[in-house]
Amino acid sequence: MLTVDTVGALRALVARARGEGKKIALVPTMGNLHDGHIALIHCARQHADFVVASLFVNPLQFGANEDLASYPRTPDADREKLVDAGCDVLFAPTVEQVYPNGLHSQTLVSVPGVSEGLCGAVRPGHFDGMATVVLKLLNMVQPDMAVFGEKDYQQLAVIRTMVRDLNMTIDIVAAPTVRAADGLALSSRNGYLGDRERTAAPILYACLKKMAASIRLEKRVAERQLIECHHHISDAGFQLEYFEVRNAEDLHPVTNADAHFVILVAARIGNTRLIDNLTVDLRPSD
């Protein structure tokens, strides 16, 4: 695996691979890699011949009171994991390389509608910062495809909408959420959890499954089941930000006509914010 830290060096490697007829994949990450990230690399490898992973903690998507300074950074371990996973290139730029004119002079990308509500309501400006850096990375690499995890469901929806609205020809591939044995979705922020918090954390996935079972049974979203899940999460020691059911395609509030749902949750325990989701598809199969 080759490691580069400038856009020029990155583009030279990608141009050479493309000249050899290879299909290019990009896997954007913020580092502190775990098995969920490595699953993204494996997914990219299944779809492409040349895999680029980016490692960049993007300051533009962190709010004033969020964990940019303390966000876990493990570059040496990350490189080893990427090598083992068969990644071809690691792009690890500095902030100055990504934002040469500074953060305050940077053109921003805003994706209305799908970025509003849910995490967008709790983290103002987050999705503008995320969409901006993803678009920059896509333009730097110009891959045939890019892989993102389904765990960050709203992020995935924002990226898909941006790519569609801007007439980009890149395929956005979603990789399934990777979970611990007790159901907790893998996340770089799980390392913040204390022992008691880690023991309580699987309640989020348990409630997602209960809500999904209720939807499958009743063919609709039952308000009583939503309320019950709210209580279970709060009783486990979480400060619940949201537990909602939305249309899985556009994240609009559900209607009686909907048959493809996504259940989304965000909650804080101690100093750690966790998110998760689960989809339910009641559409008739072909």
Side-chain angles (χ1 to χ4, degrees), residues 37-234:
H37 294 110
I38 301 308
L40 302 182
I41 301 294
H42 290 158
C43 178
R45 177 58 66 193
Q46 291 172 2
H47 290 83
D49 312 299
F50 190 80
V51 178
V52 178
S54 63
L55 195 164
F56 179 65
V57 181
N58 177 35
L60 205 59
Q61 68 191 68
F62 286 78
N65 298 315
E66 295 186 328
D67 58 346
L68 174 61
S70 61
Y71 192 85
R73 293 164 170 85
T74 54
D76 293 337
D78 292 345
R79 287 187 181 91
E80 290 183 11
K81 290 177 181 177
L82 290 172
V83 169
D84 292 342
C87 184
D88 296 291
V89 174
L90 169 60
F91 178 47
T94 63
V95 172
E96 292 73 23
Q97 183 69 203
V98 177
Y99 301 113
N101 296 317
L103 296 176
H104 298 295
S105 299
Q106 172 63 45
T107 298
L108 296 179
V109 179
S110 180
V111 185
V114 72
S115 67
E116 299 163 8
L118 303 169
C119 287
V122 179
R123 304 181 69 188
H126 166 73
F127 286 118
D128 289 356
M130 182 278 297
T132 299
V133 78
V134 168
L135 182 58
K136 287 176 73 71
L137 290 168
L138 292 175
N139 283 333
M140 291 171 185
V141 179
Q142 296 185 359
D144 298 289
M145 58 162 292
V147 183
F148 296 87
E150 289 181 343
K151 185 186 80 70
D152 297 289
Y153 198 92
Q154 190 174 16
Q155 170 181 278
L156 178 62
V158 169
I159 292 166
R160 282 174 164 162
T161 302
M162 175 184 73
V163 167
R164 182 197 67 212
D165 287 357
L166 297 182
N167 303 105
M168 303 172 73
T169 58
I170 298 166
D171 291 330
I172 301 300
V173 176
T177 301
V178 178
R179 301 183 179 279
D182 58 8
L184 178 64
L186 298 190
S187 168
S188 296
R189 290 186 168 93
N190 289 355
Y192 297 155
L193 296 170
D195 290 343
R196 291 184 179 178
E197 296 163 349
R198 178 61 186 82
T199 300
I203 191 65
L204 299 182
Y205 185 51
C207 285
L208 290 174
K209 291 194 294 182
K210 284 184 180 179
M211 192 70 224
S214 171
I215 293 172
R216 292 190 186 98
L217 178 65
E218 303 196 29
K219 311 301 181 187
R220 65 182 183 89
V221 178
E223 185 69 21
R224 68 180 185 281
Q225 187 63 58
L226 274 174
I227 294 172
E228 183 177 322
C229 288
H230 282 220
H231 288 322
H232 283 325
I233 293 168
S234 297

